[in-house]
Amino acid sequence: MRPRRYIGEDHARPDSPDKVAGKAVYIHDMVRPGMLYGKIKFSEHAHARIVSIDTSKAERLPGVKCVITGANTPQVRVGFLRDNLALKRDRVRQFRDEVAAVAAIDPDIAAEAVDLIEVEYEPLPAVFDPVEALAPGAPLVHEIDPRGRPCNTNRLPLDYGHCTGDIDEARRRSAFVVEGDFSTPVVQQACMGTAGCIAEFDMSGNLTMWAKTQIPFLAQRDFNRALMEMGLPGNNSRVIVPALGGGFGTGLDTHCYEYIAILLAHASGHAVKVVYDREEEFAYLSPRQSARTHIVQGCDRDGRLTFRDVRVLQDNGAYASWGATYPTVMLVPITSLYTVPVVRFQAEIVYTNNTYCQAMRGYGNPEVTWAIESNLDDLAEAAGIDPFELRRLNCNRPDTTTPMGLKISTCGLDQCLDATGEKLGWAQRRAADRRTNGDKPRKRRGVGMASLIHVGGSGKIYKSDASGIILKLDDYANVNVYYGGVEMGQGLHSSLSLAVADALGVTPAQVHINETDTGTCPWDVGTHASRGAFMACNAAILASDKLRARIFQWCKQLYPEATDFDLVDSVITLGAANGPSKQLELAKLLRAIHFRDDGDMLTETVFYDPPNELPNWKTGIGNMSATYTFGTQGVEVEVDEETGDIEILRMVSAIDVGRVLNRQTLEGQVYGGIAQGIGYALYEEVKMHKGRILNPGFTDYKIPTAAEMAFPIDLVFVETDDAHGPFGAKGVGEPGLVPTAPAVANAVYDAVGVRITDLPITPEKVLAALAQRD
Amino acid sequence: MRPRRYIGEDHARPDSPDKVAGKAVYIHDMVRPGMLYGKIKFSEHAHARIVSIDTSKAERLPGVKCVITGANTPQVRVGFLRDNLALKRDRVRQFRDEVAAVAAIDPDIAAEAVDLIEVEYEPLPAVFDPVEALAPGAPLVHEIDPRGRPCNTNRLPLDYGHCTGDIDEARRRSAFVVEGDFSTPVVQQACMGTAGCIAEFDMSGNLTMWAKTQIPFLAQRDFNRALMEMGLPGNNSRVIVPALGGGFGTGLDTHCYEYIAILLAHASGHAVKVVYDREEEFAYLSPRQSARTHIVQGCDRDGRLTFRDVRVLQDNGAYASWGATYPTVMLVPITSLYTVPVVRFQAEIVYTNNTYCQAMRGYGNPEVTWAIESNLDDLAEAAGIDPFELRRLNCNRPDTTTPMGLKISTCGLDQCLDATGEKLGWAQRRAADRRTNGDKPRKRRGVGMASLIHVGGSGKIYKSDASGIILKLDDYANVNVYYGGVEMGQGLHSSLSLAVADALGVTPAQVHINETDTGTCPWDVGTHASRGAFMACNAAILASDKLRARIFQWCKQLYPEATDFDLVDSVITLGAANGPSKQLELAKLLRAIHFRDDGDMLTETVFYDPPNELPNWKTGIGNMSATYTFGTQGVEVEVDEETGDIEILRMVSAIDVGRVLNRQTLEGQVYGGIAQGIGYALYEEVKMHKGRILNPGFTDYKIPTAAEMAFPIDLVFVETDDAHGPFGAKGVGEPGLVPTAPAVANAVYDAVGVRITDLPITPEKVLAALAQRD
């Protein structure tokens, strides 16, 4: 194990003071010289032909600098399948479709101008249910595919599948088989900081975008393509990421509002800022994909899993985002959560006239873990085995390969299960007092648990999964770190600064992380797949090793009597074979190297490409991550049989984190994940009526607040010290959220004997199920 | 010679379109969130004790956020000798001394608040003439030196000198000896963009400064020291340089206004901007040092120079800037302009209660070249030799070492002299029609010339004279260039982008130069000493060579059949031994390298330390530059004997530039230098009365405009292809200005027979001299 002075301890985040003091600069705070404010006119129909757009009144409003529509701007294609246009030309396919936009000298004038734009529509038949959308004769959301070919289905041209072993055979040979349908709703990422950007052109046609993005370099690629489509001579865009108020997947795609800002900036010749207000964020940004999962699982007489067969139907909405690739990550738990020898998976992704959706934390994993882990309790019941025992029996093991080809290097799932069982008091509480609760007969208590597997060593879903880094030492032994991953509130810069401090041998205060900026940072595929700290810290270690080697080489040259060298906290120790060791300030050495003839200053760069594979989408095979994170959550609930209310009494969350990097941010990640998991389990759902979002705001869209989260949470960090992980650590950005909902559902079942299969588990659903039960 | 596709041709500057369109962001354009506006209260006396400062009225003014004085802020030392305080405590020593400052929500309120500050002074005796300042009993500008020791002289504790050979002996053996006193005035750098900065602290006590500086990294060092003096825990400042509207030396020091912005930012907790208006720029920033030079030169019967003996007295003003080190560069022409075997030099730098001065373009060279080249014409006359012939006879030669130890590698001075003589029609015009001019008897024509030597391969005046660079290639073969030198309007980014394009093999449009920022750029000592293009392009070539090696290494691996490789304009040519060569887009190769297992993206960094030496200040020995630039200017004037008016009829400027990098920016540099030289020769002078500047603005301070510059200028670029120069080029930033004034003075002498020895050569001085002549 690497020596660790800061890693593993409890550290305040370097960005916290500025954020707490209101000094961090978010896109909302930014102003560029001569900047205009952009505002978008959205569709008034779920599906309609645009007959005409009259912008004349808007154009005449004083303070309006330009009004653009699809008719007076170049056609800019948007999206993972490029099936969307920044400004729609002849047709709208959802309520959030962008039909026009305005740039004005202040936001109020821009808003007034947007209201003055008159659009005439001819409504078209629409489809809002993915099953209906697949039925013959359903209205087609797209009549032409992105390549211009006629299209006669609402099914997206993306084939995902997996098959290991003979499902029918396995099913026949199983002692117990259970089957179920589970669904998850569209939910909001609910970032505290809303979406926004500033687009600015120089006079050579190069674009600078200040963007709320998690993928600065893929965004740069997208914007470069837009510049080409706009016929601009240069092909260079630069993406700079200001402070981010949360990402959770909203920043995994580029968005029409960004291209509209680009078009407005180009048309007006000014910098243009587009920032969504909370209602726009809810109604006109992409929430989480919903999914319907059909699952069948079986086990033998002893409870050993024999097969898992899963079909997923994903409502994509009107256009495709990267969220359409959810199935690549769904494959991870489907093929590899617990040891299951035979697996089949099929996914269908379907266009509808609903708002188009996007990825969110977990990237498909919570959707199918919801089905797997709920259904597993049913299987345990069918087999007459305690659910804990069933899980323990089928637990993943280190140094194994799963049907998907995932190479499980380290695995602490057994310890996570044990810790959860123990801390929750599983043996005492499970079923023992089921449906009884002393003096509160209406209220019944129960316990449940669920586990997770997730990518923990990045997750390859693009041609490159790498991250570059540059470390630059100055005369004061301060280190400038250039890293292209995004600090979006999760604590990446905290882990990274501790990693540089420990790996290089300086103090965390000497580590200064530069802005995320495609102009200055080396390439990075983006911050997703729980890869942030894993990639950043691994890259930092490699670059630090190179720097240390050069530092020690200089030591050898300048202090030939020294035979061995160490560097900790910016102090070099020169050990001599015969004699006492000597200490030397790193800064002093650096100045000595610099201020001499043929001087040098030390900068090192590393491009770290992790040892993982891009899965084959059709076969569903590929070791997509360098290592995998495991965990178990346990929950005790109290269900009010009269009201259907569910109260969480306490939770346990045990995670195999490889190693703790910064305990404080790690805890923050898991607490935050659990809060989102509780929201997913109990409260959150974007309500739509014929494609129109009915609850675009925190008044009607309920996320857990402190009041809902006021129950004790026991965190257990299992340290398995993964060989691929930086200091042994695995990625933990997403896992906190993944198994929460099924753990709650299993606890509800334990308490009152009803199985809720569609999230969220609202009091109405509980009451309805109780009525059926009784 | 390196292959050149862009270097040497005529290219528009990459920054011009934005500057012309008003899109370049100068400090004046910048706004930070929550930013306040700072304004400074200056002294009302040239020398006085501060009795009391009453800030109460200012503090009560609505909109004022903080008012600071020396009494309520930490003591922050400023300046090359750290003999200045950001805010004066007990004493003012010049009219521009800063006694208090205000930060307010808008600039008008700040100005109003400054007027409300009441300062009581007790005036002290002052001294304004450097000779008087050295006299016994003169008022002491500083009674304690920066180290806290009592001080009994106004002479600065800086010893400069040089002595090669025996002056007295050489003088005795000379056939002809002439002697003279020459003086140069205080002049303004007259940047179109005034001085300014924004200081902003994060909550960890780290400082970001957006500064109009030419020395971002030395400024960072200075600011770091201020943070230490302020008792802040962190020691990190970051300096970012926005677009600059000229430098000319104003940015070679950090200034009190910058530390005041820092103190205001720290006291208020807000970003604080301080920007000087034109009057402040004139009255409260540091103009060029004035100098009085006594010179004696001798030659033998044939006109061969036998010795040069120079004493310089420099009026430093009240505090020391880097300008106090002028003598290190004065040494270059004094020891090395023409071949002179015996040289002596002494410099005295003296505190007075005048405004303190600073370096400007040429850094002492124009001041002494004024004396050398004026005096040389006197020597020629004394010896009865044509001044052109005298110069030609004593011309520097390649592969020689001068008394200072300068290693002259290439030298085109002979060609410069010949070209100037020829283009000016020296033989025909010189003396031939002296004091006669056909039908305009009042107006007499004459020709004159003067030459120069200047550092052309950087100029070492600090412990390190290096420049780092980083080049980063992306998937599109765009190159991000990180370079710490400053584009201040001179065209550095143009040369640099052409150098990267040619050295690497891409197009100039693919080269994108990042902001100058100590956080992202490698260290650089600063942009001065005509070193910008020399250093940047040399660093770029070295880094490009490393990148090309890696590119070709990948080619070898991916195309094993290819035997040789070239890369031009982003197209790789793969040559095969047996078969036709093949072409490949660089961008395509880069993507192939990136999008593979264990992929890579190419970034290279180089720290280029040129082969030069820091001169020993006491001996005046040291090869301070890697190469030297030579040149000659010739001028024809018409002098009106009735009014004293001087009209420039035409000029020739021949420079040994090593090689042309970008003809357009090279011409711009020389034209601009000549314009400043003409201003120095004929118009410019900061008028002071008892330390108060009388002409703080362009109304009363006259610089040449298009009207004054409407004469033909013949530019000749002599290409000597220097081995140390990038593509053979030498630095040419300053030379344009250096010999202009003596060339004009020599032409005036040729026309009307009067020798003006103190600049500027005003009509009044000419008339007075004519009166004495006749």
Side-chain angles (χ1 to χ4, degrees):
Chain A
M1 200 174 75
R2 275 182 175 269
R4 298 180 304 181
R5 185 163 167 72
Y6 299 103
I7 285 289
E9 303 301 317
D10 204 78
H11 297 279
R13 293 167 45 155
D15 53 337
S16 295
D18 279 0
K19 285 180 173 167
V20 170
K23 295 201 81 157
V25 178
Y26 295 85
I27 191 73
H28 313 74
D29 303 308
M30 286 195 64
V31 178
R32 292 287 302 169
M35 188 178 84
L36 303 177
Y37 296 82
K39 191 91 180 169
I40 298 168
K41 175 85 172 177
F42 294 98
S43 168
E44 289 149 50
H45 296 271
H47 201 188
R49 196 172 70 79
I50 300 172
V51 177
S52 66
I53 305 179
D54 181 357
T55 59
S56 57
K57 286 184 195 157
E59 281 160 18
R60 284 196 299 270
L61 187 68
V64 169
K65 292 294 183 183
C66 79
V67 183
I68 59 172
T69 67
N72 67 6
T73 53
Q75 176 171 299
V76 172
R77 293 202 164 274
V78 180
F80 179 71
L81 292 179
R82 298 173 60 65
D83 55 4
N84 196 354
L85 295 181
L87 284 166
K88 309 326 175 234
R89 302 210 140 190
D90 54 351
R91 201 195 271 207
V92 291
R93 295 180 174 85
Q94 53 173 357
F95 273 99
R96 73 184 256 207
D97 264 354
E98 298 82 358
V99 295
V102 166
I105 57 170
D106 79 35
D108 295 336
I109 294 173
E112 197 181 334
V114 158
D115 287 342
L116 292 174
I117 297 171
E118 290 164 6
V119 188
E120 194 188 332
Y121 294 99
E122 180 190 305
L124 297 170
V127 62
F128 305 104
D129 181 275
V131 175
E132 286 171 21
L134 288 176
L140 284 178
V141 179
H142 294 269
E143 288 180 328
I144 315 178
D145 80 4
R147 295 185 192 168
R149 293 174 304 204
C151 170
N152 57 9
T153 171
N154 286 319
R155 198 168 190 274
L156 271 75
L158 295 171
D159 292 321
Y160 294 102
H162 175 84
C163 193
T164 294
D166 185 332
I167 282 281
D168 297 333
E169 170 68 16
R171 184 169 183 154
R172 271 195 302 276
R173 290 196 346 215
S174 297
F176 307 99
V177 171
V178 290
E179 193 155 349
D181 285 288
F182 295 86
S183 68
T184 56
V186 170
V187 296
Q188 287 286 349
Q189 292 90 348
C191 299
M192 291 299 100
T194 58
C197 68
I198 299 174
E200 185 172 8
F201 280 94
D202 69 15
M203 295 298 291
S204 310
N206 294 312
L207 168 72
T208 302
M209 275 294 271
W210 289 265
K212 182 176 186 264
T213 183
Q214 299 171 232
I215 47 157
F217 289 88
L218 294 189
Q220 181 192 32
R221 181 199 63 150
D222 289 356
F223 298 146
N224 281 359
R225 197 146 53 177
L227 299 188
M228 244 162 59
E229 289 178 315
M230 289 166 70
L232 296 180
N235 66 339
N236 196 52
S237 62
R238 177 175 181 178
V239 179
I240 303 173
V241 186
L244 248 63
F248 306 118
T250 54
L252 285 189
D253 291 87
T254 50
H255 298 273
C256 287
Y257 77 80
E258 294 173 310
Y259 298 94
I260 288 170
I262 291 170
L263 290 167
L264 286 170
H266 191 251
S268 68
H270 286 260
V272 174
K273 180 183 204 168
V274 174
V275 171
Y276 276 0
D277 62 23
R278 182 58 62 189
E279 183 173 336
E280 286 172 319
E281 175 91 0
F282 265 90
Y284 306 128
L285 203 69
S286 300
R288 184 183 206 113
Q289 303 258 353
S290 67
R292 302 182 190 185
T293 305
H294 181 77
I295 184 166
V296 195
Q297 294 184 97
C299 65
D300 65 16
R301 291 204 175 278
D302 300 329
R304 281 185 203 282
L305 290 173
T306 46
F307 75 95
R308 185 178 291 153
D309 189 9
V310 179
R311 269 188 292 120
V312 170
L313 181 64
Q314 212 170 295
D315 178 1
N316 186 79
Y319 304 102
S321 75
W322 269 92
T325 70
Y326 257 18
T328 49
V329 176
M330 289 176 166
L331 269 167
V332 173
I334 288 170
T335 62
S336 311
L337 179 57
Y338 307 113
T339 303
V340 51
V342 176
V343 179
R344 187 165 65 180
F345 172 55
Q346 273 179 292
E348 278 184 312
I349 302 144
V350 181
Y351 283 127
T352 65
N353 295 107
N354 290 323
T355 191
Y356 86 85
C357 291
Q358 201 185 356
M360 186 177 154
R361 200 173 190 179
Y363 212 94
N365 191 335
E367 287 81 347
V368 293
T369 295
W370 163 240
I372 295 168
E373 281 286 18
S374 294
N375 184 249
L376 214 56
D377 261 34
D378 290 346
L379 183 63
E381 189 174 37
I385 301 173
D386 179 276
F388 171 81
E389 294 302 335
L390 183 83
R391 289 178 169 85
R392 200 65 184 72
L393 185 69
N394 291 287
C395 194
N396 297 82
R397 302 284 166 205
D399 301 317
T400 53
T401 300
T402 77
M404 189 184 171
L406 308 188
K407 290 176 185 150
I408 310 297
S409 45
T410 55
C411 175
L413 182 56
D414 51 350
Q415 293 160 267
C416 292
L417 279 163
D418 290 350
T420 302
E422 189 193 329
K423 300 245 175 213
L424 200 63
W426 182 269
Q428 310 87 289
R429 294 173 201 268
R430 174 74 189 178
D433 54 350
R434 188 166 169 175
R435 306 203 196 177
T436 66
N437 184 26
D439 58 349
K440 286 190 284 181
R442 277 175 17 199
K443 299 196 174 184
R444 302 189 186 272
R445 293 185 174 189
V447 291
M449 64 167 60
S451 295
L452 79 99
I453 180 176
H454 198 64
V455 291
S458 197
K460 192 160 187 170
I461 55 170
Y462 186 67
K463 293 174 280 183
S464 168
D465 198 31
S467 293
I469 198 168
I470 302 175
L471 300 183
K472 172 170 84 83
L473 273 164
D474 71 11
D475 290 334
Y476 312 94
N478 283 317
V479 194
N480 286 113
V481 180
Y482 313 52
Y483 184 69
V486 176
E487 169 61 84
M488 48 191 169
Q490 83 278 41
L492 170 64
H493 286 185
S494 165
S495 313
L496 179 52
S497 67
L498 300 180
V500 171
D502 264 354
L504 181 54
V506 296
T507 66
Q510 289 178 300
V511 180
H512 302 274
I513 301 176
N514 288 331
E515 286 75 29
T516 306
D517 175 346
T518 59
T520 57
C521 295
W523 196 88
D524 172 79
V525 75
T527 302
H528 56 73
S530 304
R531 72 193 287 281
F534 178 90
M535 293 297 296
C537 298
N538 265 332
I541 288 170
L542 293 171
S544 296
D545 285 349
K546 288 172 81 174
L547 280 176
R548 282 174 77 93
R550 282 175 70 186
I551 290 166
F552 295 152
Q553 209 169 356
W554 275 106
C555 286
K556 270 182 213 163
Q557 185 177 328
L558 299 177
Y559 302 92
E561 72 283 5
T563 48
D564 64 69
F565 310 97
D566 199 12
L567 169 56
V568 175
D569 269 355
S570 245
V571 176
I572 296 169
T573 304
L574 304 163
N578 308 309
S581 67
K582 192 169 135 182
Q583 294 207 316
L584 172 68
E585 286 287 337
L586 173 60
K588 216 172 148 182
L589 177 83
L590 293 172
R591 287 194 293 267
I593 300 170
H594 181 194
F595 299 134
R596 53 182 276 133
D597 285 343
D598 206 9
D600 200 5
M601 289 185 82
L602 309 186
T603 299
E604 280 294 350
T605 173
V606 155
F607 195 72
Y608 170 62
D609 195 353
N612 57 359
E613 300 166 358
L614 188 63
N616 180 312
W617 288 4
K618 294 199 180 180
T619 65
I621 302 277
N623 182 36
M624 72 188 301
S625 183
T627 184
Y628 298 87
T629 301
F630 294 87
T632 304
Q633 285 182 2
V635 62
E636 183 177 18
V637 299
E638 186 172 84
V639 183
D640 186 324
E641 292 203 322
E642 194 162 1
T643 64
D645 264 347
I646 296 165
E647 191 188 349
I648 309 287
L649 299 179
R650 59 212 185 75
M651 275 190 70
V652 181
S653 177
I655 307 197
D656 166 10
V657 298
R659 284 279 180 200
V660 176
L661 294 173
N662 180 357
R663 190 164 295 273
Q664 200 174 102
T665 52
L666 175 59
E667 288 177 357
Q669 277 281 32
V670 180
Y671 283 134
I674 289 173
Q676 271 183 328
I678 291 293
Y680 203 43
L682 299 179
Y683 309 118
E684 300 186 38
E685 181 172 14
V686 173
K687 296 277 188 189
M688 280 187 271
H689 176 69
K690 296 196 170 176
R692 190 192 287 276
I693 291 176
L694 302 176
N695 54 346
F698 285 123
T699 314
D700 295 316
Y701 183 91
K702 184 163 171 53
I703 61 168
T705 66
E708 285 78 21
M709 293 302 294
F711 51 83
I713 302 177
D714 236 327
L715 298 189
V716 178
F717 298 127
V718 173
E719 298 196 289
T720 50
D721 196 14
D722 196 87
H724 295 293
F727 303 96
K730 302 178 178 184
V732 292
E734 296 160 292
L737 159 76
V738 171
T740 315
V744 170
N746 289 342
V748 169
Y749 186 81
D750 184 46
V752 295
V754 301
R755 168 67 56 200
I756 306 297
T757 57
D758 56 328
L759 291 178
I761 311 171
T762 59
E764 294 81 354
K765 292 179 190 169
V766 172
L767 283 181
L770 285 171
Q772 275 206 314
R773 177 200 74 184
D774 298 330
Chain B
M1 201 172 78
R2 277 183 174 268
R4 299 180 302 182
R5 185 163 167 70
Y6 298 103
I7 286 288
E9 302 301 318
D10 204 78
H11 296 280
R13 294 167 45 156
D15 53 338
S16 295
D18 280 1
K19 286 180 173 166
V20 170
K23 295 200 83 158
V25 179
Y26 295 85
I27 191 73
H28 313 73
D29 304 308
M30 285 194 64
V31 177
R32 292 288 302 168
M35 188 178 84
L36 302 178
Y37 296 82
K39 190 90 179 170
I40 298 169
K41 175 84 172 178
F42 295 98
S43 168
E44 289 149 49
H45 295 270
H47 199 187
R49 196 171 70 77
I50 300 171
V51 178
S52 66
I53 305 179
D54 181 357
T55 59
S56 56
K57 285 183 196 156
E59 280 160 19
R60 285 197 299 270
L61 186 70
V64 169
K65 292 294 184 184
C66 79
V67 183
I68 59 172
T69 67
N72 68 6
T73 51
Q75 177 170 301
V76 171
R77 292 202 165 273
V78 180
F80 179 71
L81 292 179
R82 297 173 60 65
D83 55 4
N84 196 355
L85 295 181
L87 284 166
K88 309 325 175 236
R89 302 209 141 190
D90 54 351
R91 202 194 273 206
V92 291
R93 295 180 173 84
Q94 55 172 358
F95 273 99
R96 72 184 256 208
D97 263 354
E98 299 81 358
V99 295
V102 166
I105 57 170
D106 78 36
D108 294 337
I109 294 173
E112 197 181 334
V114 158
D115 287 342
L116 292 174
I117 296 172
E118 289 164 7
V119 188
E120 194 188 332
Y121 295 98
E122 182 190 304
L124 297 171
V127 62
F128 304 106
D129 180 274
V131 175
E132 287 170 21
L134 288 176
L140 285 177
V141 180
H142 294 269
E143 289 180 327
I144 314 175
D145 81 3
R147 294 184 193 169
R149 292 173 306 204
C151 171
N152 57 9
T153 172
N154 285 319
R155 196 168 192 272
L156 270 75
L158 295 171
D159 293 320
Y160 295 102
H162 175 84
C163 194
T164 293
D166 184 333
I167 283 281
D168 297 332
E169 169 69 14
R171 184 169 181 154
R172 269 194 304 276
R173 288 194 349 216
S174 297
F176 306 98
V177 171
V178 292
E179 193 154 350
D181 284 288
F182 294 87
S183 69
T184 56
V186 171
V187 296
Q188 287 286 349
Q189 292 88 352
C191 299
M192 292 299 101
T194 59
C197 68
I198 299 173
E200 185 172 10
F201 280 95
D202 69 15
M203 295 298 291
S204 310
N206 294 311
L207 169 71
T208 302
M209 275 294 270
W210 288 265
K212 182 176 186 263
T213 183
Q214 299 171 232
I215 48 157
F217 290 87
L218 294 188
Q220 181 192 33
R221 181 199 65 149
D222 289 356
F223 298 145
N224 281 359
R225 196 145 54 176
L227 299 188
M228 244 163 57
E229 290 179 313
M230 290 166 69
L232 297 180
N235 67 339
N236 196 52
S237 62
R238 177 175 181 178
V239 178
I240 303 173
V241 186
L244 249 63
F248 306 117
T250 55
L252 285 189
D253 291 87
T254 51
H255 297 274
C256 288
Y257 77 80
E258 294 174 310
Y259 297 93
I260 288 170
I262 291 170
L263 289 167
L264 285 170
H266 191 251
S268 67
H270 286 260
V272 174
K273 180 183 205 168
V274 174
V275 171
Y276 276 0
D277 61 24
R278 182 58 62 189
E279 183 174 336
E280 287 171 320
E281 174 92 0
F282 265 91
Y284 306 127
L285 202 68
S286 300
R288 184 184 206 115
Q289 303 257 352
S290 67
R292 302 182 190 185
T293 304
H294 181 77
I295 185 166
V296 195
Q297 295 185 99
C299 65
D300 64 16
R301 292 206 174 277
D302 300 329
R304 281 187 204 282
L305 290 174
T306 46
F307 76 96
R308 184 178 291 153
D309 189 9
V310 179
R311 270 188 291 121
V312 169
L313 181 64
Q314 210 170 297
D315 177 2
N316 186 78
Y319 305 102
S321 75
W322 269 91
T325 70
Y326 256 19
T328 49
V329 177
M330 288 175 167
L331 270 166
V332 173
I334 287 170
T335 61
S336 311
L337 178 57
Y338 306 113
T339 302
V340 51
V342 176
V343 179
R344 186 165 65 180
F345 173 55
Q346 272 178 293
E348 279 186 311
I349 302 145
V350 182
Y351 283 127
T352 65
N353 293 108
N354 291 322
T355 191
Y356 87 85
C357 291
Q358 201 185 356
M360 185 176 155
R361 200 174 188 180
Y363 211 93
N365 191 336
E367 286 82 348
V368 294
T369 296
W370 163 239
I372 296 167
E373 282 286 18
S374 294
N375 186 248
L376 214 57
D377 260 34
D378 291 345
L379 183 62
E381 189 172 38
I385 301 173
D386 179 274
F388 172 80
E389 294 303 334
L390 183 84
R391 288 178 170 85
R392 201 64 184 71
L393 186 69
N394 291 287
C395 193
N396 299 83
R397 301 286 165 204
D399 301 319
T400 53
T401 299
T402 76
M404 190 185 170
L406 308 188
K407 290 176 186 149
I408 310 297
S409 45
T410 53
C411 173
L413 182 55
D414 50 350
Q415 293 161 264
C416 292
L417 279 163
D418 291 349
T420 302
E422 188 194 330
K423 299 242 174 214
L424 199 62
W426 182 268
Q428 309 88 288
R429 293 174 201 265
R430 173 74 187 178
D433 54 349
R434 188 167 171 180
R435 304 202 198 176
T436 68
N437 183 26
D439 58 348
K440 284 190 285 176
R442 275 172 22 198
K443 299 196 175 183
R444 301 185 186 275
R445 292 186 174 188
V447 291
M449 66 167 58
S451 295
L452 77 100
I453 178 176
H454 198 63
V455 292
S458 198
K460 193 161 187 169
I461 56 169
Y462 186 68
K463 294 173 280 185
S464 168
D465 197 31
S467 294
I469 198 167
I470 303 175
L471 300 183
K472 172 169 85 81
L473 273 164
D474 72 10
D475 290 334
Y476 312 94
N478 283 318
V479 194
N480 287 113
V481 181
Y482 313 53
Y483 184 69
V486 176
E487 169 61 82
M488 48 193 170
Q490 83 277 41
L492 170 64
H493 285 186
S494 164
S495 313
L496 179 51
S497 66
L498 300 181
V500 171
D502 264 354
L504 181 55
V506 297
T507 66
Q510 289 177 301
V511 180
H512 302 275
I513 301 176
N514 287 331
E515 284 76 31
T516 306
D517 174 348
T518 60
T520 56
C521 295
W523 195 88
D524 172 80
V525 75
T527 302
H528 56 73
S530 304
R531 72 193 288 281
F534 179 90
M535 293 298 294
C537 298
N538 265 331
I541 288 170
L542 293 171
S544 296
D545 285 349
K546 288 171 80 174
L547 280 176
R548 282 173 77 92
R550 283 175 70 188
I551 289 166
F552 295 152
Q553 209 169 359
W554 275 106
C555 286
K556 271 179 212 165
Q557 186 177 328
L558 299 176
Y559 302 92
E561 72 283 6
T563 49
D564 64 69
F565 310 97
D566 198 12
L567 168 57
V568 175
D569 270 354
S570 244
V571 176
I572 296 170
T573 304
L574 303 164
N578 310 308
S581 67
K582 191 170 137 180
Q583 294 208 314
L584 172 68
E585 286 288 336
L586 172 61
K588 216 172 149 185
L589 177 83
L590 292 172
R591 288 195 292 268
I593 300 170
H594 180 194
F595 299 134
R596 52 183 275 133
D597 283 345
D598 206 9
D600 200 5
M601 289 185 82
L602 308 186
T603 299
E604 279 295 348
T605 173
V606 156
F607 194 72
Y608 170 62
D609 196 352
N612 56 359
E613 301 166 357
L614 189 62
N616 181 311
W617 289 3
K618 297 200 178 178
T619 65
I621 302 277
N623 183 35
M624 73 188 300
S625 183
T627 184
Y628 298 87
T629 300
F630 294 88
T632 303
Q633 285 182 4
V635 62
E636 182 177 18
V637 300
E638 184 171 84
V639 183
D640 186 325
E641 292 203 320
E642 193 163 3
T643 64
D645 265 346
I646 297 165
E647 193 188 347
I648 310 287
L649 299 178
R650 59 212 185 77
M651 276 190 71
V652 181
S653 178
I655 306 194
D656 165 10
V657 298
R659 284 278 180 201
V660 175
L661 294 173
N662 180 356
R663 190 165 294 272
Q664 199 173 104
T665 52
L666 175 59
E667 288 177 356
Q669 278 281 32
V670 180
Y671 283 134
I674 289 173
Q676 270 183 329
I678 291 292
Y680 204 42
L682 298 179
Y683 310 117
E684 299 187 37
E685 181 172 13
V686 174
K687 297 276 188 189
M688 280 188 271
H689 177 70
K690 295 194 171 179
R692 191 193 288 275
I693 290 176
L694 302 176
N695 54 346
F698 285 122
T699 314
D700 295 316
Y701 184 92
K702 184 162 173 52
I703 60 168
T705 65
E708 285 79 22
M709 294 301 295
F711 52 83
I713 302 176
D714 235 325
L715 298 189
V716 179
F717 298 129
V718 172
E719 296 195 290
T720 50
D721 197 14
D722 196 86
H724 294 295
F727 302 97
K730 302 178 177 184
V732 292
E734 296 160 291
L737 160 75
V738 171
T740 314
V744 170
N746 290 341
V748 169
Y749 186 80
D750 183 47
V752 296
V754 301
R755 166 68 54 202
I756 306 296
T757 58
D758 56 326
L759 291 179
I761 310 172
T762 58
E764 293 82 355
K765 291 178 190 171
V766 171
L767 283 181
L770 285 172
Q772 274 207 317
R773 178 200 71 184
D774 298 331

